[in-house]
Amino acid sequence: MAETNTNYNEAIIALKNEYEEKLAVMEAECALLRSEIQQGEDERKRIMDENEAYLEEYVDVKLFRDSDRYCDDVYVAVNGQNCIIKRGEWVKIKRKFALVLDQSEIQDIKTGEYIASVCGAAE
């Protein structure tokens, strides 16, 4: 009977040691994963900060002006921030507003091309 208890105690100690080894490995893996996640978060934040700084830089723009349709100032809004751009003069605006103007011009060009293709197909 004493020998059986010794065998059980040895088996329990062996299982406890195996458990502690596996626990230590898992804790090390978790620490490594936490470190990798933190590095990814730090990199994401750095990239977002760089992008934000890029969009906040000032650029020079000059909008076309005539005495008919293109004579009024232009209102541009981005994420709740806005500016009014005077036509016919060089002005400094944040790049994020200039990008919206570029996107608007591209959309106007695509709309004109689409209308021309539809009208051409109809004839």
Side-chain angles (χ1 to χ4, degrees):
M1 185 78 166
E3 188 176 318
T4 305
N5 285 342
T6 304
N7 289 341
Y8 284 134
N9 288 339
E10 288 174 358
I12 290 172
I13 291 170
L15 286 172
K16 180 181 174 192
N17 290 339
E18 182 182 345
Y19 166 78
E20 289 174 352
E21 288 173 9
K22 287 183 178 182
L23 182 62
V25 168
M26 291 179 69
E27 286 175 347
E29 289 175 356
C30 285
L32 179 63
L33 287 172
R34 280 189 208 100
S35 173
E36 289 174 357
I37 290 169
Q38 186 60 48
Q39 288 174 354
E41 289 292 319
D42 293 346
E43 179 67 10
R44 185 182 66 80
K45 184 177 182 326
R46 183 190 64 75
I47 290 170
M48 287 182 66
D49 290 345
E50 285 178 5
N51 289 342
E52 184 67 26
Y54 174 77
L55 293 174
E56 293 294 320
E57 290 175 353
Y58 282 87
V59 294
D60 293 320
V61 297
K62 183 176 181 180
L63 300 180
F64 174 76
R65 179 186 177 94
D66 65 8
S67 58
D68 186 30
R69 186 171 172 201
Y70 298 99
C71 61
D72 293 329
D73 296 341
V74 177
Y75 173 85
V76 181
V78 176
N79 293 332
Q81 296 181 345
N82 58 60
C83 70
I84 297 176
I85 304 165
K86 191 165 187 74
R87 285 188 175 275
E89 296 180 14
W90 284 102
V91 294
K92 286 190 179 289
I93 61 172
K94 291 182 179 181
R95 183 175 314 232
K96 61 185 171 187
F97 298 118
L99 291 173
V100 168
L101 293 172
D102 288 343
Q103 292 167 0
S104 176
E105 184 176 356
I106 290 167
Q107 189 61 46
D108 288 346
I109 291 168
K110 288 182 179 182
T111 301
E113 290 171 351
Y114 177 74
I115 290 171
S117 72
V118 169
C119 291
E123 291 176 2

Coordinates of all heavy atoms in Angstrom, one line a residue, residues 31-113:
A31 N 3.2 36.5 -23.5 CA 4.0 37.8 -23.4 C 4.5 38.2 -24.8 O 4.5 39.4 -25.1 CB 5.1 37.5 -22.4
L32 N 4.9 37.2 -25.6 CA 5.4 37.5 -26.9 C 4.3 38.1 -27.8 O 4.5 39.1 -28.5 CB 6.0 36.2 -27.6 CG 6.5 36.4 -29.0 CD1 7.7 37.3 -29.0 CD2 6.9 35.0 -29.5
L33 N 3.1 37.5 -27.7 CA 1.9 38.0 -28.5 C 1.6 39.4 -28.0 O 1.3 40.2 -28.9 CB 0.8 37.0 -28.3 CG 0.9 35.7 -29.1 CD1 -0.3 34.8 -28.7 CD2 0.9 35.9 -30.6
R34 N 1.6 39.6 -26.7 CA 1.3 41.0 -26.2 C 2.3 42.0 -26.8 O 1.9 43.1 -27.2 CB 1.3 41.0 -24.7 CG 0.0 40.5 -24.1 CD 0.0 40.7 -22.6 NE -0.8 39.7 -21.9 CZ -0.3 38.6 -21.3 NH1 1.0 38.5 -21.2 NH2 -1.1 37.8 -20.8
S35 N 3.5 41.6 -26.8 CA 4.6 42.5 -27.3 C 4.3 42.7 -28.8 O 4.5 43.9 -29.3 CB 5.9 41.8 -27.1 OG 6.9 42.5 -27.8
E36 N 4.0 41.7 -29.6 CA 3.8 41.9 -31.0 C 2.5 42.8 -31.3 O 2.5 43.6 -32.2 CB 3.6 40.5 -31.7 CG 4.8 39.7 -31.8 CD 4.6 38.3 -32.3 OE1 3.4 37.9 -32.6 OE2 5.6 37.6 -32.5
I37 N 1.5 42.6 -30.5 CA 0.3 43.4 -30.6 C 0.6 44.8 -30.3 O 0.2 45.7 -31.0 CB -0.8 42.8 -29.7 CG1 -1.3 41.5 -30.2 CG2 -1.9 43.9 -29.5 CD1 -2.3 40.8 -29.3
Q38 N 1.4 45.1 -29.2 CA 1.8 46.4 -28.9 C 2.6 47.1 -30.0 O 2.4 48.2 -30.3 CB 2.5 46.4 -27.5 CG 2.8 47.8 -27.0 CD 1.6 48.6 -26.8 OE1 0.7 48.2 -26.1 NE2 1.5 49.9 -27.3
Q39 N 3.5 46.3 -30.5 CA 4.3 46.9 -31.6 C 3.4 47.2 -32.8 O 3.6 48.3 -33.5 CB 5.4 45.8 -32.1 CG 6.5 45.7 -31.1 CD 7.5 44.6 -31.5 OE1 7.3 43.8 -32.4 NE2 8.6 44.5 -30.7
G40 N 2.5 46.4 -33.1 CA 1.5 46.6 -34.2 C 0.7 47.9 -33.9 O 0.5 48.7 -34.8
E41 N 0.3 48.0 -32.7 CA -0.5 49.2 -32.3 C 0.4 50.5 -32.4 O -0.1 51.5 -32.9 CB -1.0 49.1 -30.9 CG -2.2 48.1 -30.7 CD -3.4 48.5 -31.4 OE1 -3.8 49.7 -31.3 OE2 -4.1 47.7 -32.0
D42 N 1.6 50.4 -32.0 CA 2.5 51.5 -32.0 C 2.8 51.9 -33.5 O 2.8 53.1 -33.8 CB 3.9 51.2 -31.3 CG 3.7 51.0 -29.8 OD1 2.7 51.4 -29.3 OD2 4.7 50.5 -29.2
E43 N 2.9 50.9 -34.4 CA 3.2 51.2 -35.8 C 1.9 51.8 -36.4 O 2.0 52.8 -37.2 CB 3.5 49.9 -36.5 CG 3.8 50.0 -38.0 CD 5.0 50.9 -38.4 OE1 5.8 51.2 -37.5 OE2 5.1 51.2 -39.5
R44 N 0.7 51.3 -36.1 CA -0.5 51.8 -36.6 C -0.7 53.3 -36.2 O -1.0 54.1 -37.0 CB -1.7 51.0 -36.1 CG -3.0 51.4 -36.7 CD -4.2 50.5 -36.1 NE -4.4 50.8 -34.7 CZ -5.1 51.8 -34.2 NH1 -5.6 52.7 -35.0 NH2 -5.2 51.9 -32.9
K45 N -0.4 53.6 -34.9 CA -0.5 54.9 -34.4 C 0.5 55.9 -35.1 O 0.2 57.0 -35.5 CB -0.3 55.0 -32.9 CG -0.5 56.4 -32.3 CD -0.3 56.4 -30.8 CE -0.5 57.7 -30.2 NZ -0.1 58.9 -30.9
R46 N 1.7 55.4 -35.3 CA 2.7 56.2 -36.0 C 2.3 56.5 -37.4 O 2.3 57.7 -37.9 CB 4.1 55.4 -36.1 CG 5.2 56.2 -36.7 CD 6.5 55.4 -36.9 NE 6.2 54.3 -37.9 CZ 6.2 54.5 -39.2 NH1 6.2 55.7 -39.7 NH2 6.0 53.5 -40.0
I47 N 1.7 55.5 -38.1 CA 1.3 55.7 -39.5 C 0.1 56.7 -39.5 O 0.0 57.6 -40.4 CB 0.9 54.4 -40.2 CG1 2.2 53.6 -40.4 CG2 0.1 54.6 -41.5 CD1 1.9 52.1 -40.8
M48 N -0.8 56.5 -38.6 CA -2.0 57.4 -38.5 C -1.5 58.9 -38.2 O -2.0 59.8 -38.8 CB -3.0 57.0 -37.5 CG -3.7 55.7 -37.9 SD -4.9 55.2 -36.7 CE -6.1 56.5 -36.7
D49 N -0.5 59.0 -37.3 CA 0.0 60.4 -37.0 C 0.6 61.0 -38.2 O 0.5 62.2 -38.5 CB 1.0 60.3 -35.9 CG 0.3 60.0 -34.5 OD1 -1.0 60.1 -34.4 OD2 1.0 59.6 -33.6
E50 N 1.4 60.2 -39.0 CA 2.0 60.7 -40.2 C 1.0 61.1 -41.2 O 1.1 62.1 -41.9 CB 2.9 59.6 -40.8 CG 4.2 59.4 -40.1 CD 5.1 58.3 -40.7 OE1 4.7 57.7 -41.8 OE2 6.1 58.0 -40.2
N51 N -0.1 60.3 -41.4 CA -1.1 60.6 -42.4 C -1.9 61.9 -41.9 O -2.2 62.7 -42.8 CB -2.1 59.4 -42.5 CG -1.6 58.2 -43.2 OD1 -0.6 58.4 -43.9 ND2 -2.2 57.1 -43.0
E52 N -2.1 62.0 -40.7 CA -2.8 63.2 -40.2 C -2.0 64.4 -40.4 O -2.5 65.5 -40.8 CB -3.1 63.0 -38.7 CG -3.9 64.2 -38.1 CD -5.3 64.3 -38.6 OE1 -5.9 63.3 -39.1 OE2 -5.9 65.4 -38.6
A53 N -0.7 64.3 -40.1 CA 0.3 65.4 -40.4 C 0.3 65.8 -41.9 O 0.3 67.0 -42.2 CB 1.7 65.1 -39.9
Y54 N 0.3 64.8 -42.7 CA 0.3 65.0 -44.2 C -1.0 65.8 -44.6 O -0.9 66.7 -45.4 CB 0.4 63.7 -44.9 CG 0.2 63.8 -46.4 CD1 1.3 64.2 -47.2 CD2 -1.0 63.4 -47.0 CE1 1.1 64.3 -48.6 CE2 -1.1 63.5 -48.4 CZ -0.1 63.9 -49.2 OH -0.2 64.0 -50.5
L55 N -2.1 65.4 -44.1 CA -3.4 66.0 -44.4 C -3.5 67.4 -43.9 O -4.3 68.2 -44.4 CB -4.6 65.1 -44.0 CG -4.7 63.8 -44.7 CD1 -5.8 63.0 -44.0 CD2 -5.0 64.0 -46.2
E56 N -2.8 67.7 -42.8 CA -2.9 69.0 -42.2 C -1.9 70.0 -42.8 O -1.9 71.2 -42.4 CB -2.6 68.9 -40.7 CG -3.7 68.1 -39.9 CD -5.1 68.9 -39.9 OE1 -5.1 70.1 -39.8 OE2 -6.1 68.2 -40.1
E57 N -1.0 69.6 -43.6 CA 0.0 70.5 -44.3 C -0.8 71.5 -45.2 O -1.8 71.1 -45.8 CB 1.0 69.7 -45.1 CG 2.0 68.9 -44.4 CD 2.9 68.0 -45.3 OE1 2.6 68.0 -46.5 OE2 3.8 67.4 -44.7
Y58 N -0.2 72.7 -45.3 CA -0.8 73.7 -46.1 C -0.3 73.6 -47.5 O 0.9 73.3 -47.7 CB -0.6 75.1 -45.6 CG -1.5 75.4 -44.4 CD1 -1.2 75.0 -43.1 CD2 -2.8 76.0 -44.7 CE1 -2.1 75.3 -42.1 CE2 -3.6 76.3 -43.6 CZ -3.3 75.9 -42.3 OH -4.1 76.2 -41.3
V59 N -1.1 73.7 -48.5 CA -0.7 73.7 -49.9 C -1.4 74.9 -50.6 O -2.3 75.5 -50.1 CB -1.2 72.4 -50.6 CG1 -0.5 71.2 -50.1 CG2 -2.7 72.2 -50.6
D60 N -0.8 75.4 -51.7 CA -1.3 76.5 -52.5 C -2.2 76.0 -53.5 O -2.0 75.0 -54.3 CB -0.1 77.3 -53.2 CG 0.8 77.9 -52.2 OD1 0.3 78.5 -51.2 OD2 2.0 77.9 -52.4
V61 N -3.4 76.7 -53.7 CA -4.3 76.4 -54.7 C -4.9 77.7 -55.3 O -4.9 78.7 -54.7 CB -5.5 75.5 -54.2 CG1 -5.1 74.2 -53.7 CG2 -6.3 76.2 -53.2
K62 N -5.3 77.6 -56.5 CA -6.0 78.7 -57.2 C -7.1 78.1 -58.0 O -6.9 77.3 -58.9 CB -5.0 79.4 -58.1 CG -5.6 80.6 -58.8 CD -4.6 81.4 -59.6 CE -5.2 82.6 -60.2 NZ -4.3 83.4 -61.1
L63 N -8.3 78.5 -57.6 CA -9.5 78.0 -58.3 C -9.9 79.0 -59.5 O -9.8 80.2 -59.3 CB -10.7 77.9 -57.3 CG -10.5 77.0 -56.1 CD1 -11.7 77.0 -55.2 CD2 -10.1 75.6 -56.6
F64 N -10.3 78.4 -60.5 CA -10.8 79.1 -61.7 C -11.9 80.1 -61.4 O -12.8 79.8 -60.6 CB -11.2 78.1 -62.8 CG -11.8 78.8 -64.0 CD1 -11.0 79.4 -64.9 CD2 -13.2 78.8 -64.2 CE1 -11.6 80.0 -66.1 CE2 -13.8 79.4 -65.3 CZ -12.9 80.0 -66.2
R65 N -11.8 81.3 -62.0 CA -12.8 82.3 -61.8 C -13.2 82.9 -63.1 O -12.4 83.2 -63.9 CB -12.3 83.4 -60.8 CG -13.3 84.5 -60.6 CD -12.7 85.6 -59.7 NE -13.7 86.7 -59.5 CZ -14.5 86.8 -58.5 NH1 -14.4 85.9 -57.5 NH2 -15.3 87.8 -58.4
D66 N -14.5 83.1 -63.3 CA -15.0 83.8 -64.4 C -16.1 84.8 -63.9 O -16.3 84.9 -62.7 CB -15.5 82.9 -65.5 CG -16.7 82.1 -65.2 OD1 -17.3 82.3 -64.1 OD2 -17.1 81.2 -65.9
S67 N -16.8 85.4 -64.8 CA -17.8 86.4 -64.4 C -19.2 85.7 -64.5 O -20.2 86.4 -64.3 CB -17.8 87.6 -65.3 OG -18.0 87.3 -66.6
D68 N -19.3 84.4 -64.7 CA -20.6 83.8 -64.8 C -20.8 82.7 -63.8 O -21.0 83.0 -62.6 CB -20.7 83.1 -66.3 CG -22.0 82.6 -66.6 OD1 -23.0 83.0 -66.0 OD2 -22.1 81.6 -67.3
R69 N -20.6 81.5 -64.1 CA -20.9 80.4 -63.2 C -19.9 80.2 -62.1 O -20.2 79.7 -61.1 CB -21.0 79.1 -64.1 CG -21.5 77.9 -63.3 CD -21.8 76.8 -64.3 NE -22.1 75.6 -63.5 CZ -22.0 74.4 -63.9 NH1 -21.6 74.2 -65.2 NH2 -22.2 73.3 -63.2
Y70 N -18.6 80.5 -62.4 CA -17.5 80.2 -61.5 C -17.0 81.5 -60.8 O -15.9 81.9 -61.0 CB -16.4 79.5 -62.2 CG -16.8 78.2 -62.7 CD1 -17.2 78.0 -64.0 CD2 -16.9 77.1 -61.9 CE1 -17.6 76.8 -64.5 CE2 -17.3 75.8 -62.3 CZ -17.6 75.7 -63.7 OH -18.0 74.5 -64.1
C71 N -17.9 82.3 -60.2 CA -17.5 83.5 -59.6 C -17.6 83.5 -58.1 O -16.9 84.3 -57.4 CB -18.3 84.7 -60.2 SG -20.1 84.6 -59.9
D72 N -18.4 82.6 -57.5 CA -18.5 82.6 -56.1 C -17.4 81.8 -55.4 O -16.8 80.9 -56.0 CB -19.9 81.9 -55.7 CG -21.1 82.7 -56.1 OD1 -20.9 83.9 -56.1 OD2 -22.1 82.1 -56.5
D73 N -17.2 82.1 -54.1 CA -16.2 81.4 -53.3 C -16.7 79.9 -53.1 O -17.9 79.6 -53.3 CB -16.0 82.0 -52.0 CG -15.4 83.4 -52.1 OD1 -14.8 83.7 -53.1 OD2 -15.5 84.2 -51.1
V74 N -15.8 79.0 -52.8 CA -16.1 77.6 -52.7 C -16.0 77.2 -51.2 O -15.0 77.5 -50.6 CB -15.2 76.8 -53.6 CG1 -15.5 75.3 -53.4 CG2 -15.3 77.1 -55.0
Y75 N -17.1 76.6 -50.8 CA -17.1 76.0 -49.4 C -16.7 74.6 -49.5 O -17.3 73.8 -50.3 CB -18.5 76.2 -48.9 CG -18.8 75.5 -47.5 CD1 -18.4 76.2 -46.3 CD2 -19.3 74.3 -47.4 CE1 -18.7 75.6 -45.1 CE2 -19.5 73.7 -46.2 CZ -19.2 74.3 -45.1 OH -19.4 73.7 -43.8
V76 N -15.8 74.2 -48.6 CA -15.3 72.8 -48.6 C -15.4 72.3 -47.1 O -14.9 73.0 -46.2 CB -13.9 72.6 -49.1 CG1 -13.5 71.1 -49.1 CG2 -13.8 73.1 -50.6
A77 N -15.9 71.1 -46.9 CA -16.0 70.6 -45.5 C -15.4 69.2 -45.5 O -15.6 68.4 -46.4 CB -17.4 70.5 -45.0
V78 N -14.6 68.9 -44.4 CA -14.0 67.5 -44.3 C -14.2 67.2 -42.8 O -13.6 67.8 -41.9 CB -12.5 67.5 -44.7 CG1 -11.9 66.1 -44.4 CG2 -12.4 67.8 -46.1
N79 N -15.0 66.1 -42.5 CA -15.1 65.6 -41.1 C -15.4 66.7 -40.1 O -14.8 66.8 -39.1 CB -13.9 64.9 -40.7 CG -13.7 63.6 -41.5 OD1 -14.6 63.0 -42.0 ND2 -12.4 63.2 -41.6
G80 N -16.4 67.6 -40.5 CA -16.8 68.6 -39.6 C -16.0 69.9 -39.6 O -16.3 70.9 -38.9
Q81 N -14.8 69.9 -40.3 CA -14.0 71.1 -40.4 C -14.3 71.7 -41.8 O -14.5 70.9 -42.7 CB -12.5 70.8 -40.3 CG -12.2 70.3 -38.9 CD -10.7 70.0 -38.8 OE1 -10.0 69.9 -39.7 NE2 -10.2 69.9 -37.5
N82 N -14.3 73.0 -41.9 CA -14.6 73.6 -43.2 C -13.7 74.8 -43.5 O -13.0 75.3 -42.6 CB -16.1 74.0 -43.2 CG -16.4 74.9 -42.2 OD1 -15.9 76.0 -42.1 ND2 -17.3 74.6 -41.3
C83 N -13.7 75.2 -44.7 CA -13.0 76.4 -45.2 C -13.8 77.0 -46.4 O -14.5 76.3 -47.1 CB -11.6 76.2 -45.4 SG -11.2 75.2 -46.9
I84 N -13.6 78.2 -46.6 CA -14.1 78.9 -47.8 C -12.9 79.4 -48.6 O -12.0 80.0 -48.1 CB -15.0 80.1 -47.4 CG1 -16.2 79.6 -46.6 CG2 -15.5 80.9 -48.6 CD1 -17.1 80.6 -46.1
I85 N -12.9 79.0 -49.9 CA -11.8 79.3 -50.8 C -12.2 80.3 -51.8 O -13.2 80.2 -52.5 CB -11.4 78.0 -51.5 CG1 -11.0 76.9 -50.4 CG2 -10.2 78.2 -52.4 CD1 -11.0 75.5 -51.0
K86 N -11.4 81.4 -51.8 CA -11.7 82.5 -52.7 C -11.2 82.1 -54.1 O -10.1 81.6 -54.3 CB -10.9 83.7 -52.2 CG -11.3 85.0 -52.9 CD -10.8 86.2 -52.1 CE -11.3 87.5 -52.6 NZ -12.7 87.7 -52.3
R87 N -12.1 82.3 -55.1 CA -11.7 82.0 -56.5 C -10.8 83.1 -57.1 O -10.9 84.2 -56.7 CB -13.0 81.9 -57.3 CG -13.7 80.6 -57.1 CD -14.9 80.5 -58.1 NE -15.6 79.3 -58.0 CZ -15.2 78.1 -58.6 NH1 -14.1 78.1 -59.3 NH2 -15.9 77.0 -58.4
G88 N -10.0 82.7 -58.0 CA -9.2 83.6 -58.8 C -7.9 84.1 -58.1 O -7.2 84.9 -58.6
E89 N -7.6 83.6 -56.9 CA -6.5 84.0 -56.1 C -5.7 82.8 -55.6 O -6.4 81.8 -55.2 CB -6.9 84.9 -54.9 CG -7.5 86.2 -55.3 CD -7.9 87.0 -54.1 OE1 -7.4 86.7 -52.9 OE2 -8.7 88.0 -54.2
W90 N -4.4 82.9 -55.4 CA -3.7 81.8 -54.8 C -3.9 81.9 -53.3 O -3.8 83.0 -52.7 CB -2.2 82.0 -55.1 CG -1.8 81.5 -56.4 CD1 -1.5 82.3 -57.5 CD2 -1.6 80.2 -56.9 NE1 -1.2 81.6 -58.6 CE2 -1.3 80.3 -58.3 CE3 -1.8 79.0 -56.3 CZ2 -1.1 79.1 -59.0 CZ3 -1.6 77.8 -57.1 CH2 -1.2 77.9 -58.4
V91 N -4.3 80.8 -52.7 CA -4.6 80.7 -51.3 C -4.0 79.5 -50.7 O -3.7 78.5 -51.4 CB -6.1 80.7 -51.0 CG1 -6.8 82.0 -51.3 CG2 -6.8 79.6 -51.6
K92 N -3.6 79.5 -49.5 CA -3.1 78.3 -48.8 C -4.3 77.7 -48.0 O -4.9 78.3 -47.2 CB -2.0 78.7 -47.8 CG -0.7 79.1 -48.5 CD 0.4 79.2 -47.4 CE 1.7 79.6 -48.0 NZ 2.3 78.5 -48.8
I93 N -4.4 76.4 -48.3 CA -5.4 75.6 -47.5 C -4.8 74.3 -47.1 O -3.8 73.9 -47.7 CB -6.7 75.3 -48.4 CG1 -6.3 74.5 -49.6 CG2 -7.4 76.6 -48.7 CD1 -7.6 74.1 -50.4
K94 N -5.4 73.7 -46.2 CA -4.9 72.3 -45.7 C -5.1 71.3 -46.9 O -6.1 71.4 -47.6 CB -5.6 71.9 -44.5 CG -5.3 72.7 -43.3 CD -5.9 72.2 -42.0 CE -5.5 73.1 -40.8 NZ -6.1 72.6 -39.6
R95 N -4.2 70.4 -47.0 CA -4.2 69.4 -48.0 C -5.5 68.6 -48.1 O -6.0 68.3 -49.1 CB -3.0 68.5 -47.9 CG -2.9 67.4 -49.0 CD -1.7 66.6 -48.8 NE -0.6 67.6 -48.5 CZ 0.5 67.7 -49.1 NH1 0.9 66.9 -50.0 NH2 1.4 68.6 -48.9
K96 N -6.1 68.4 -46.9 CA -7.3 67.6 -46.9 C -8.4 68.3 -47.7 O -9.2 67.6 -48.3 CB -7.8 67.3 -45.5 CG -8.1 68.4 -44.6 CD -8.4 68.0 -43.2 CE -8.5 69.2 -42.2 NZ -8.6 68.7 -40.9
F97 N -8.4 69.6 -47.6 CA -9.4 70.3 -48.4 C -9.1 70.3 -49.9 O -10.0 70.2 -50.8 CB -9.6 71.8 -47.9 CG -10.0 71.9 -46.5 CD1 -9.2 72.4 -45.5 CD2 -11.3 71.4 -46.1 CE1 -9.6 72.5 -44.2 CE2 -11.7 71.4 -44.8 CZ -10.9 72.0 -43.8
A98 N -7.8 70.4 -50.2 CA -7.4 70.4 -51.6 C -7.7 69.0 -52.2 O -8.1 68.9 -53.4 CB -5.9 70.7 -51.7
L99 N -7.5 67.9 -51.4 CA -7.8 66.6 -51.9 C -9.3 66.5 -52.3 O -9.7 65.8 -53.2 CB -7.4 65.5 -50.9 CG -5.9 65.4 -50.8 CD1 -5.6 64.4 -49.6 CD2 -5.3 64.9 -52.1
V100 N -10.2 67.1 -51.5 CA -11.6 67.0 -51.7 C -11.9 67.8 -53.0 O -12.7 67.3 -53.9 CB -12.4 67.7 -50.6 CG1 -13.9 67.9 -51.0 CG2 -12.3 66.8 -49.3
L101 N -11.2 68.9 -53.3 CA -11.4 69.6 -54.5 C -11.0 68.8 -55.7 O -11.6 68.7 -56.8 CB -10.6 70.9 -54.5 CG -11.1 72.0 -53.5 CD1 -10.1 73.2 -53.5 CD2 -12.5 72.5 -53.9
D102 N -9.8 68.1 -55.6 CA -9.3 67.2 -56.6 C -10.3 66.0 -56.9 O -10.6 65.7 -58.1 CB -8.0 66.6 -56.2 CG -6.8 67.6 -56.3 OD1 -7.0 68.6 -56.9 OD2 -5.8 67.3 -55.7
Q103 N -10.9 65.4 -55.8 CA -11.8 64.4 -56.0 C -13.1 64.9 -56.7 O -13.7 64.2 -57.5 CB -12.1 63.7 -54.7 CG -11.0 63.0 -54.1 CD -11.2 62.6 -52.6 OE1 -12.2 63.0 -52.0 NE2 -10.2 62.0 -52.0
S104 N -13.5 66.1 -56.4 CA -14.7 66.6 -57.0 C -14.5 66.9 -58.5 O -15.3 66.6 -59.3 CB -15.0 68.0 -56.3 OG -16.1 68.6 -57.0
E105 N -13.3 67.4 -58.8 CA -13.0 67.6 -60.2 C -12.9 66.3 -61.0 O -13.4 66.2 -62.1 CB -11.6 68.3 -60.4 CG -11.3 68.6 -61.8 CD -10.0 69.4 -61.9 OE1 -9.4 69.8 -60.9 OE2 -9.6 69.7 -63.0
I106 N -12.3 65.2 -60.4 CA -12.3 63.9 -61.0 C -13.7 63.4 -61.3 O -14.0 62.8 -62.3 CB -11.4 62.9 -60.2 CG1 -10.0 63.3 -60.3 CG2 -11.6 61.5 -60.6 CD1 -9.1 62.6 -59.2
Q107 N -14.5 63.6 -60.3 CA -15.9 63.1 -60.4 C -16.7 63.9 -61.5 O -17.4 63.3 -62.3 CB -16.7 63.2 -59.1 CG -18.0 62.6 -59.1 CD -17.9 61.1 -59.3 OE1 -17.1 60.4 -58.7 NE2 -18.8 60.6 -60.2
D108 N -16.4 65.1 -61.6 CA -17.0 65.9 -62.7 C -16.6 65.4 -64.0 O -17.4 65.3 -65.0 CB -16.7 67.4 -62.5 CG -17.4 68.1 -61.4 OD1 -18.4 67.5 -60.8 OD2 -17.0 69.2 -61.0
I109 N -15.3 65.1 -64.2 CA -14.8 64.6 -65.5 C -15.5 63.2 -65.8 O -15.9 63.0 -66.9 CB -13.3 64.4 -65.4 CG1 -12.6 65.8 -65.4 CG2 -12.7 63.6 -66.6 CD1 -11.1 65.8 -65.0
K110 N -15.5 62.4 -64.8 CA -16.2 61.1 -65.0 C -17.6 61.2 -65.4 O -18.2 60.5 -66.2 CB -16.0 60.2 -63.8 CG -14.6 59.7 -63.6 CD -14.4 58.8 -62.4 CE -13.0 58.2 -62.3 NZ -12.9 57.3 -61.2
T111 N -18.3 62.1 -64.7 CA -19.7 62.4 -65.0 C -19.9 62.8 -66.5 O -20.8 62.4 -67.2 CB -20.3 63.4 -64.0 OG1 -20.2 62.9 -62.7 CG2 -21.8 63.7 -64.4
G112 N -19.0 63.8 -66.9 CA -19.1 64.3 -68.3 C -18.8 63.2 -69.3 O -19.5 63.1 -70.3
E113 N -17.8 62.3 -69.0 CA -17.5 61.2 -69.9 C -18.7 60.2 -69.9 O -19.1 59.7 -71.0 CB -16.3 60.4 -69.4 CG -15.0 61.2 -69.6 CD -13.8 60.6 -68.9 OE1 -14.0 59.6 -68.1 OE2 -12.7 61.0 -69.1

